[in-house]
Amino acid sequence: MVVGLREFALRTGDGSGKPILDEPNGEELMLVQPSVAVALGNRSIESPGTLYITSRKLIWLSDVDMAKGYAVDFLAISLHAVSRDPEAYSSPCIYTQIEVEEDEDEDESDTESTAVLDLSKIREMRLVPSDSSQLDTLFDVFCECAELNPEPIEEEEEVGGGHNWVFSADQMDVHGGAEEDAEWQISQSPTSVIGHSNGDEGLAQPMLELQINDQRFEDAEEMVHESEPKDH
Amino acid sequence: MLFFSYFKDLVGQEVTVELKNDLAIRGTLHSVDQYLNIKLENTRVVDQDKYPHMLSVRNCFIRGSVVRYVQLPPDGVDVDLLHDAARREARGG
């Protein structure tokens, strides 16, 4: 469900260059911060651009290349912080860690990503506003938006439950199949046919003895007789 | 909700938050919300050699879903209170 960073180029056609939001589903623009540069992972900084913070995600759009932009859902932002130490990064920035898919083959991707950047593997993003006095405001808006996007636990449980249910239904099918198979084996397999014929003889005698020795087993005898026509 | 109330009582104390990606951040608990999102202040990364760029981070918002452990100050745990609360929670009360 959670994907990392992705390309984003959905802009309104009115020339303003603003992103198209999922307004029918309640996505709102929370803050627009002009003149923000972005640095993905250890890559060099890209600028100039504009940061759009929506109720769902961060969108950074290049001011010069209308086809260039990135987006990341707040659901995928593990951590954000204000970074002001010049030793850690040359410019004061908002530092974010991005949750990425873990099950990828990392070694392979590392060698490949030297040629083509795989955005979904970017784990860190720095947003550098030219006006660093905005950092605290940005931090607060990030916090607010993160809280607007809690983990969809109940949905996940429902989905998970759904999966479980479907899964157990599958399992039931499998069990059903197994049972049918078992029945089939009992009625069709040569061994049970042999067993059956043996059983006829083997059962007949004890039953006869039981009939003689103990009348209490009459019911059992009837049951054997009842079950026999089914088998034939 | 038990942990939410519990962590709220720890606001102002020094805690270490260990993330699922193994990053451990120590700092003063500033706030926690119902989703167990955690805000820390005066943070420092425990393993600074491994995460040098996090040195500078003064305040930090951590998404509740990425937290693996929160290490508490030993005197920040009222064991009896926590026992009672846990029992009440377990009974669904």
Side-chain angles (χ1 to χ4, degrees):
Chain A
M1 173 212 61
V2 175
V3 289
L5 196 71
R6 59 185 184 270
E7 285 191 24
F8 189 95
L10 290 170
R11 304 200 197 206
T12 55
D14 58 8
S16 66
K18 287 181 182 168
I20 298 173
L21 306 184
D22 188 10
E23 279 163 348
N25 285 316
E27 185 175 19
E28 289 175 53
L29 197 56
M30 306 295 282
L31 187 80
V32 181
Q33 183 67 41
S35 189
V36 176
V38 67
L40 306 179
N42 295 321
R43 301 174 80 220
S44 56
I45 198 159
E46 298 174 63
S47 70
T50 303
L51 181 68
Y52 298 85
I53 305 175
T54 83
S55 52
R56 300 269 183 76
K57 58 183 176 279
L58 292 178
I59 307 168
W60 180 89
L61 297 178
S62 167
D63 289 343
V64 283
D65 182 351
M66 296 305 266
K68 188 176 194 177
Y70 308 113
V72 59
D73 290 334
F74 276 105
L75 273 174
I77 299 179
S78 316
L79 175 160
H80 66 262
V82 177
S83 170
R84 286 200 174 92
D85 187 345
E87 280 183 34
Y89 197 73
S90 53
S91 319
C93 64
I94 297 277
Y95 169 83
T96 62
Q97 277 190 0
I98 299 169
E99 202 170 352
V100 299
E101 294 283 344
E102 293 287 347
D103 54 354
E104 304 286 335
D105 191 332
E106 304 244 345
D107 296 335
E108 223 175 276
S109 67
D110 279 351
T111 49
E112 280 176 18
S113 63
T114 51
V116 182
L117 178 71
D118 187 348
L119 289 179
S120 68
K121 299 215 170 54
I122 295 287
R123 291 169 189 273
E124 294 176 323
M125 177 173 69
R126 289 180 178 80
L127 296 159
V128 189
S130 61
D131 178 3
S132 61
S133 70
Q134 291 301 305
L135 283 172
D136 288 330
T137 307
L138 287 171
F139 179 84
D140 290 341
V141 176
F142 273 44
C143 291
E144 191 186 329
C145 291
E147 284 164 19
L148 287 177
N149 290 271
E151 228 56 26
I153 293 171
E154 283 172 34
E155 281 175 42
E156 268 183 6
E157 271 176 6
E158 273 172 24
V159 169
H163 278 306
N164 286 341
W165 194 86
V166 170
F167 189 62
S168 35
D170 287 345
Q171 284 184 317
M172 280 170 69
D173 280 351
V174 170
H175 284 312
E179 274 162 21
E180 280 164 28
D181 283 352
E183 280 173 32
W184 185 86
Q185 278 174 1
I186 287 164
S187 56
Q188 303 291 327
S189 74
T191 50
S192 73
V193 169
I194 292 164
H196 193 196
S197 58
N198 282 350
D200 268 352
E201 293 169 26
L203 277 174
Q205 273 188 327
M207 279 303 162
L208 198 63
E209 286 169 17
L210 284 170
Q211 262 185 319
I212 295 161
N213 294 338
D214 196 332
Q215 296 299 316
R216 286 178 298 175
F217 288 90
E218 273 184 359
D219 283 350
E221 189 208 5
E222 275 173 24
M223 278 172 69
V224 170
H225 283 301
E226 275 169 17
S227 68
E228 271 178 357
K230 279 185 199 167
D231 286 338
H232 290 297
Chain B
M1 291 305 278
L2 170 60
F3 284 104
F4 173 43
S5 330
Y6 181 66
F7 282 126
K8 270 202 302 192
D9 287 344
L10 288 175
V11 165
Q13 303 218 42
E14 182 102 328
V15 297
T16 302
V17 180
E18 184 182 326
L19 309 193
K20 288 174 184 166
N21 66 6
D22 296 334
L23 179 67
I25 304 167
R26 188 154 182 79
T28 308
L29 187 63
H30 171 272
S31 62
V32 60
D33 68 14
Q34 57 175 316
Y35 309 113
L36 302 184
N37 295 324
I38 290 172
K39 261 195 244 185
L40 296 179
E41 286 187 332
N42 301 316
T43 56
R44 63 178 183 278
V45 170
V46 174
D47 187 354
Q48 297 193 337
D49 295 336
K50 202 170 165 189
Y51 305 95
H53 54 262
M54 291 286 293
L55 275 172
S56 61
V57 167
R58 293 294 302 281
N59 51 357
C60 182
F61 178 102
I62 301 162
R63 196 171 172 79
S65 61
V66 302
V67 174
R68 182 187 288 146
Y69 298 120
V70 179
Q71 294 167 25
L72 313 169
D75 58 356
V77 188
D78 185 332
V79 177
D80 293 335
L81 194 67
L82 194 60
H83 269 173
D84 285 349
R87 280 196 207 101
R88 250 179 282 128
E89 184 101 343
R91 279 200 298 265

